[in-house]
Structures are given as structure tokens and as C-alpha cells.
Amino acid sequence: MDSNGLTVLSLFDGMSCGAIALREAGIKVKQYFASEIDKAAIIQATHNFPDTIQLGSVVNLSAANLPKIDLLIGGSPCQGFSFAGKQMNFKDPRSVLFFEYVRILNEIRTYNPDVKFLLENVRMRAEYENVISSHLGLQPVAINSSLVSAQNRLRLYWTNILTTTTPHLFGETVFTAIPQPKDKGIYLRDVLDDVADTRFFLSRKDIEKLEKQIAYESERQESIPVERFMELFCDIDFCETYTLAPVSCFCPENWISNHTIRPSPEIERFPVSAIQNGKAIRDCSSNTDSTVIISGAIVSPQFGGGFRPILSGKAPCLLATSSNSAACLIINGDDMVLRRLTPKECCRLQTIPDWYEWVCSEPQIYKMLGNGWTVDVISHILQFL
């Protein structure tokens, strides 16, 4: 590799979380090429990294026209794989873009067989994961952002930066050998601002509307499809611009039935109406102060409807499906606030450093953060280069 730094190609670059992670990891970059089609994301990335060479759509990109690439990174669109979506697998045109990543990786390998790569994606069915692994030639490592931030965000990372092999009867299997990051012990209470603008607060009208819709759905059928949940939450008006999603948690790690989140057996349902009655359950991580934080909630007829708190002390996974974030109930003494997380707080959940400047609108910030990477996880992986 060039002593002057790496030549990097970032596919599906978005807000350039890869470039942020490289800088945070102290890795010199000679040239950074980015493939992205979202205009707002390009403006945002270029503002912070003016030397980035934007290449446009990945479909039109040819590695033969680029200098020798040392590092290929990217997180191809995940909507066709995610448990949160319809799981159409490779029939979803967005998920087909994974094969563009593979095509470009193979093109680079024709002149640089030692190129390092990193691909990120969501948790998915084993059969989908195996297809990706077969094309990349190794198995991924699963890392939850909760180790380095206050957000539950379990993702799969395929990379040859550090690998190991396991022999078996029919040969051997290559695994990504990146170790788990050290748990920094960061909780939602650690990233919240003391004061938030009132436009982030949920009104009683918003809460009542959500409660009625949930009650109606709960009576009408035993279970509600995830797609219907998404429709419910995105239909609720918040002020003039935003939508309310007290449960922006359609990633598996956010469901209360998931093994990574274990509520205490004595905890009863937390109905919506209890929010205004002062009935709250102390965050299990808050043992030394009077602040109570309920970092998200689960709404499901399987649990009798209503709200159930996530007791992990972490925020639910940020999503890009709407211009909001998980609702947060904060109780400090007699003060009680139910509000959305602010863009700054969401930046902290994704470990975006303070030097990164925003020049786009708030809805775009939420969208980019939901689509983006947890920077400290990527920096952790890249340090093994």
C-alpha cells in the first residue's frame, strides 16, 4: 500500500460514514472515491470531505477506470433482506445492488488480488446470509453497536481485513475474525440533552390517537403485520412536519421477545395512558440518580397491546423510514416529558463526531443517520488494517 495513504472506494457512500471512520481511526487516505446517487447525501459528504471524488451510480461504475484500490467499503441497500421489511431477498431491486458490489470487488481483484474489503448489512435469514457469504468467500461477524454507543443496532460485517479458517470434513471455512469491541457502557441517559426544543415533544393528542389505533387493531385481529405497524406510526402527525413513531424499532434487536433484551418477569404492561399518570418503570441502568428514562417501547397484541418498555437502557435502532426517531420518556422528579430524540442525540447514537457539520434539513439528517453506520464500530474494524 502507498506510504502516502490508502486509495479507498466507498460504494453506497451516503453521508460518508466510512470517511469519518477512517479519520477517527487515524488512517491516512490518499484518495477517496465515492459512489452515491442521493443528492442531499452527496452535498452533505462533499461539505465535510471536499476532496472526495464523486462517481455517481454504482451501476455505471467501472473499477478499470480507477487507480489501484486498496480498500473497498460499502453497505448495500438492505430492504430486501431485513426482518423489518418484506424479505423479498434478491428479488428486491435494491438488494440486487449487492451484486454490483461483488462485480466491482472482482474487477479490482484482477489488478489487486490483495485488496481489502468491508461490507455491512442487517441481520437476515440464514439462506440470504449464506448467498452473500458464498460470493464474498467468508462468513461475517455480528457486532451490536450497543457495545460502543447507546443504541441497539446489530449488524453483520463481512471483511477480509482480519480472517481465520476452521477446518471441516469438506475443506475449511473462512470467517471474519474481527474481535468484539470493548463494551464502553454507554446508555441513553448519557447522550440526552438536558433541554430539548418543545417541537420535539409529543402532545397528548398524538398519544391518544396512537392509543386508539392500537386498541382498534388489537381488537380486530390477534396479530398485526409489521407493515401495518409501519403504516400506523407513519400516519400520526407530529406538529406540521414530523411523524410520530414511539416504536421505531422494527429491527430484530428491538423486539422485546428478542433474547438480547430481557425484561424483568415482574414488569407489567406499560399502557400509553400511564405516561400522563406518572406511572413509569425505572431504567435498570439508572441506579444513582433520579432520572428515569424509558428508551423506546414495544407495541404488540401478543403482549396485550399498549406499551412495554425496553429495559436495556439503550435506544432502539435508528431507521431511515421516517423523519423521526424512537420516542423517549424522561421523568426527573415531577417533570415528565415524552419526546422524540433530537438530531444531535441521534448523532451521538451513531457516534458521529462533533466536527462533522450538517448542511441539510432535519428530515434528511434523520434519514442519513438511519441509513448510516455506527462510526465507532467501523473504526474498530478498520484499526486492524
Side-chain angles (χ1 to χ4, degrees):
M1 296 183 183
D2 195 316
S3 59
N4 293 322
L6 300 178
T7 299
V8 181
L9 173 57
S10 174
L11 307 182
F12 322 105
D13 186 63
M15 56 179 280
S16 270
C17 286
I20 301 173
L22 284 163
R23 180 180 294 185
E24 290 295 290
I27 298 172
K28 289 180 64 177
V29 175
K30 180 181 179 181
Q31 285 184 299
Y32 189 95
F33 295 91
S35 174
E36 179 57 60
I37 60 173
D38 185 276
K39 293 181 180 179
I42 292 172
I43 292 172
Q44 185 59 52
T46 303
H47 175 78
N48 285 275
F49 302 99
D51 293 332
T52 294
I53 303 170
Q54 294 287 344
L55 302 174
S57 173
V58 66
V59 176
N60 302 322
L61 194 157
S62 172
N65 298 327
L66 301 176
K68 179 183 176 183
I69 300 298
D70 301 309
L71 175 65
L72 175 68
I73 60 177
S76 57
C78 63
Q79 290 89 343
F81 301 127
S82 173
F83 285 107
K86 298 181 180 180
Q87 300 184 69
M88 296 170 62
N89 198 0
F90 295 99
K91 295 179 181 179
D92 190 307
R94 295 164 294 188
S95 298
V96 171
L97 291 173
F98 158 73
F99 294 107
E100 295 294 335
Y101 183 99
V102 173
R103 173 182 66 81
I104 292 169
L105 175 60
N106 289 335
E107 288 178 2
I108 296 172
R109 280 174 167 165
T110 62
Y111 62 79
N112 182 15
D114 297 322
V115 62
K116 298 301 182 183
F117 68 83
L118 168 63
L119 176 76
E120 176 265 5
N121 218 300
V122 296
R123 284 185 65 195
M124 60 189 76
R125 291 180 184 272
E127 60 195 272
Y128 306 168
E129 181 182 321
N130 290 337
V131 171
I132 294 177
S133 296
S134 66
H135 280 278
L136 297 179
L138 47 73
Q139 300 293 318
V141 61
I143 300 177
N144 196 328
S145 299
S146 64
L147 292 172
V148 299
S149 76
Q151 176 190 189
N152 270 306
R153 191 183 190 88
L154 187 58
R155 293 293 183 265
L156 301 178
Y157 300 91
W158 288 262
T159 181
N160 65 344
I161 291 174
L162 190 64
T163 62
T164 186
T165 58
T166 301
H168 54 79
L169 183 63
F170 302 101
E172 59 183 24
T173 301
V174 181
F175 289 90
T176 296
I178 300 293
Q180 293 294 308
K182 181 181 178 181
D183 191 345
K184 295 182 178 180
I186 303 173
Y187 295 94
L188 182 60
R189 68 166 186 264
D190 300 320
V191 303
L192 292 178
D193 289 322
D194 293 332
V195 179
D197 193 286
T198 54
R199 61 196 175 86
F200 295 106
F201 292 12
L202 274 60
S203 69
R204 182 62 198 170
K205 181 179 179 181
D206 294 327
I207 297 170
E208 289 176 346
K209 183 176 180 181
L210 178 65
E211 187 176 25
K212 289 178 181 178
Q213 289 174 313
I214 293 170
Y216 170 74
E217 293 286 347
S218 299
E219 292 175 2
R220 196 175 59 153
Q221 52 190 19
E222 293 182 0
S223 62
I224 303 174
V226 170
E227 292 84 357
R228 179 54 184 150
F229 271 127
M230 296 292 280
E231 291 173 4
L232 282 177
F233 301 143
C234 292
D235 281 346
I236 296 178
D237 295 328
F238 181 79
C239 298
E240 298 178 357
T241 310
Y242 299 95
T243 56
L244 163 64
V247 213
S248 66
C249 44
F250 297 101
C251 297
E253 61 265 29
N254 290 333
W255 287 90
I256 206 158
S257 58
N258 188 281
H259 295 302
T260 61
I261 300 174
R262 298 180 181 276
S264 302
E266 68 274 9
I267 298 301
E268 298 180 353
R269 288 194 305 277
F270 185 67
V272 180
S273 58
I275 292 171
Q276 296 295 342
N277 296 334
K279 298 176 183 178
I281 301 166
R282 181 169 294 278
D283 181 358
C284 60
S285 64
S286 302
N287 298 319
T288 59
D289 56 49
S290 61
T291 302
V292 179
I293 300 171
I294 303 299
S295 60
I298 300 304
V299 180
S300 173
Q302 299 163 248
F303 299 103
F307 275 43
R308 291 191 63 148
I310 292 175
L311 299 178
S312 64
K314 304 284 186 174
C317 179
L318 299 181
L319 301 179
T321 51
S322 60
S323 60
N324 56 34
S325 62
C328 177
L329 174 63
I330 305 173
I331 301 176
N332 192 351
D334 294 329
D335 297 328
M336 183 159 45
V337 174
L338 181 63
R339 65 168 174 82
R340 294 181 302 118
L341 299 177
T342 67
K344 182 179 291 186
E345 291 165 340
C346 290
C347 282
R348 293 168 185 156
L349 294 179
Q350 285 288 54
T351 62
I352 306 299
D354 291 339
W355 56 257
Y356 190 88
E357 296 181 349
W358 291 98
V359 293
C360 62
S361 66
E362 268 189 5
Q364 288 291 344
I365 293 176
Y366 283 120
K367 178 182 177 181
M368 290 181 203
L369 289 171
N371 279 329
W373 287 342
T374 304
V375 168
D376 282 6
V377 172
I378 305 302
S379 294
H380 168 75
I381 294 172
L382 295 178
Q383 70 174 308
F384 295 98
L385 280 167

